[in-house]
Amino acid sequence: MQNIDQIRTELLAEIAAAATADDIERVRVAALGRKGSVTELTKTIGALAPEERRAAGALINVLKDEIAAAIEARKTAIETGALSARLARERIDVTLPARPETEGRIHPISQVVDELVGIFAEMGFAFAEGPHIETDEHNFTALNIPPEHPARQDHDTFYLPEKADGTRLLLRTHTSSVQIRSMRKAQPPIRIIVPGRTFRADHDATHSPMFHQIEGLVVDETTHMGHLKGCLIEFCRAFFDVDDLPVRFRPSFFPFTEPSAEMDIGCSREGGGLTIGKGADWLEILGCGMVHPKVLANCGIDPARYQGFAFGLGIERVAMLKYGIPDLRTFYESDLRWLRHYGFAPYDVPTIAGGLTR
Ligand code: PHE
């Protein structure tokens, strides 16, 4: 059948020429569709002499399969080509800056931790952490708070069930436990900043059973009270972004520091509001002091050679002061409206150079 060879040649040429998925579909319909050229050929079989029908039918079937396979192959080639072209066209440049996220917000606690760590990192402090579940030794005894010491009463400690040997683990009541861990790990010079969760069995408008503190510790041969004051004054001025922020240090007591002090910053409560940096009022901001010689000795550091200072500050408290957040409890309610209002844009990472806040 000469007709068959001609149709084959023509169709194969059309298939090879098809450049798009639409082209190939058009060829398929023109060949194998209900009125397609190959389909029409099939219909001519009936007109042949009975003895010729078998051979003609076989030839037409071969043609049909051949064309169908060629169409399929061409289609796959076109699709792969299109995909590669598309991949090349849509290649993503991962070095481009990220699109600012409009929905997600950074929680004020995370933001303030970044700000605090940013300031102290700039002063040369290293970041350190410790576990939430602590031993009595790290949280109290080594910090010069022996068993039965009245200071333990102030801490409203959460204890874990007593173990067989009579000891009890606890949820750390302050980040000062990390002072002990750090001093037992390394000899001076030490300069660390330790943000983290702390726990006390207390719950009202100004206390939460879980809250955050940040601890600072510096130990070296020449460290003295002047360093403590200079460091903390510098820190408060950077954090609250007030260059001439008034500050004062009041004598205080902590078992693990001697002398101990509390630091206040100047503020005004006029008109019911709170303005930091001016006015005649004072606001307590942190506890601090020179590391007690007994604490150094408890950690294997020679108090005749080394001295240090330490400080601890409540993160929620400074976040509330800085960003005018009135109620402590709202920090943990996961209320999206609150987060949208007080939260921070994700890519607004605080740095000393770029600014701490929006
Ligand atoms: N740990 C003390 C507290 O939780 C704060 C503090 C830390 C005071 C370091 C002095 C030195 O209140």
Side-chain angles (χ1 to χ4, degrees), residues 47-288:
L48 296 172
E51 61 278 12
E52 290 177 357
R53 284 184 197 161
R54 246 182 92 103
L59 280 177
I60 293 170
N61 276 337
V62 168
L63 173 70
K64 211 197 231 170
D65 290 346
E66 193 183 334
I67 295 301
I71 288 176
E72 205 47 47
R74 184 71 198 135
K75 204 167 139 187
T76 311
I78 289 172
E79 280 168 1
T80 330
L83 183 63
S84 315
R86 191 169 150 209
L87 285 176
R89 197 170 57 242
E90 296 181 358
R91 195 171 44 203
I92 292 169
D93 182 353
V94 294
T95 64
L96 285 174
R99 184 156 30 98
E101 182 56 72
T102 52
E103 280 296 306
R105 282 287 178 274
I106 300 294
H107 195 282
I109 295 287
S110 306
Q111 178 79 11
V112 168
V113 167
D114 285 351
E115 294 177 11
L116 295 167
V117 171
I119 295 170
F120 285 105
E122 190 80 1
M123 295 187 195
F125 282 70
F127 180 93
E129 275 184 315
H132 298 156
I133 298 177
E134 261 301 5
T135 60
D136 192 284
E137 163 76 11
H138 287 127
N139 195 80
F140 291 126
T141 313
L143 283 164
N144 198 30
I145 317 177
E148 314 307 332
H149 191 287
R152 291 199 177 206
Q153 254 81 72
D154 302 337
H155 282 232
D156 304 306
T157 312
F158 285 114
Y159 285 98
L160 274 72
E162 199 170 291
K163 293 197 280 190
D165 62 4
T167 61
R168 291 184 295 181
L169 290 172
L170 49 85
L171 299 184
R172 68 177 178 195
T173 58
H174 50 183
T175 41
S176 301
S177 53
V178 188
Q179 285 191 32
I180 302 301
R181 288 181 172 274
S182 306
M183 287 191 282
R184 285 186 176 171
K185 237 184 343 216
Q187 281 292 307
I190 294 172
R191 211 187 286 160
I192 52 162
I193 192 79
V194 187
R197 294 190 168 187
T198 48
F199 307 84
R200 291 186 199 179
D202 208 352
H203 199 191
D204 60 36
T206 54
H207 295 91
S208 153
M210 186 282 295
F211 59 105
H212 298 75
Q213 284 189 339
I214 194 160
E215 188 89 6
L217 173 71
V218 175
V219 187
D220 208 341
E221 290 189 28
T222 56
T223 310
H224 56 68
M225 193 80 185
H227 294 136
L228 175 154
K229 291 177 73 176
C231 171
L232 293 178
I233 292 170
E234 202 51 47
F235 152 69
C236 282
R237 292 185 172 163
F239 181 75
F240 290 105
D241 203 10
V242 179
D243 285 341
D244 53 356
L245 181 70
V247 300
R248 71 176 183 189
F249 289 84
R250 273 179 297 105
S252 183
F253 174 79
F254 300 103
F256 35 91
T257 48
E258 181 58 38
S260 303
E262 268 163 341
M263 184 182 179
D264 297 341
I265 56 174
C267 68
S268 155
R269 291 193 178 80
E270 248 165 56
L274 179 75
T275 313
I276 288 169
K278 32 171 124 42
D281 285 327
W282 293 101
L283 199 65
E284 184 196 320
I285 201 85
L286 56 80
C288 56

